[in-house]
Amino acid sequence: MIENLPPCPKCSCEYTYEMNALVVCPECGHEWVPAEAAAEGGGEAAGERVVRDAVGNVLQDGDTVVVVKALKVKGSPSGIKAGTKVRNIRLVDGVDGHDIDCKVDGFGAMQLKSGVVKKA
């Protein structure tokens, strides 16, 4: 049995308990293996959502990105061309993988997938 159990990586609750090989949080119900959680840390804070662009760069709020492939837009005869620069993005928990909220010149506000943009 581990004497000092780690706090929950999701909600930071300190009242975690051991159940077989897992550590369980009684507040949020999150279960994890302590050895795997330490190995996954890799410099990034545990529980923090990391959004990466098409080439693997980490994106943050306020970044400028470039669209890497032509995108069709509903209701528009022409889509967004590859190479279009999008400034001041916001990262959101969007629907269906759309995790970037932004304004595209000529199209207005919309959400994009991080897999179709590259950090500028």
Side-chain angles (χ1 to χ4, degrees), residues 25-76:
C25 175
E27 290 186 2
C28 69
H30 180 64
E31 299 176 343
W32 73 99
V33 178
E36 288 179 8
E40 289 174 2
E44 296 169 357
E48 183 178 323
R49 189 173 70 100
V50 176
V51 178
R52 297 186 183 272
D53 66 2
V55 292
N57 298 322
V58 177
L59 296 174
Q60 297 177 344
D61 287 345
D63 281 347
T64 298
V65 295
V66 177
V67 177
V68 294
K69 71 178 205 175
L71 303 173
K72 294 180 181 177
V73 178
K74 273 188 180 177
S76 173

Side-chain angles (χ1 to χ4, degrees), residues 18-24:
E18 214 172 12
M19 185 170 69
N20 297 332
L22 298 174
V23 177
V24 182

Side-chain angles (χ1 to χ4, degrees), residues 73-95:
V73 178
K74 273 188 180 177
S76 173
S78 63
I80 299 173
K81 295 180 182 177
T84 302
K85 203 175 251 191
V86 180
R87 292 178 174 83
N88 200 20
I89 65 169
R90 281 188 319 139
L91 302 178
V92 295
D93 289 327
V95 178

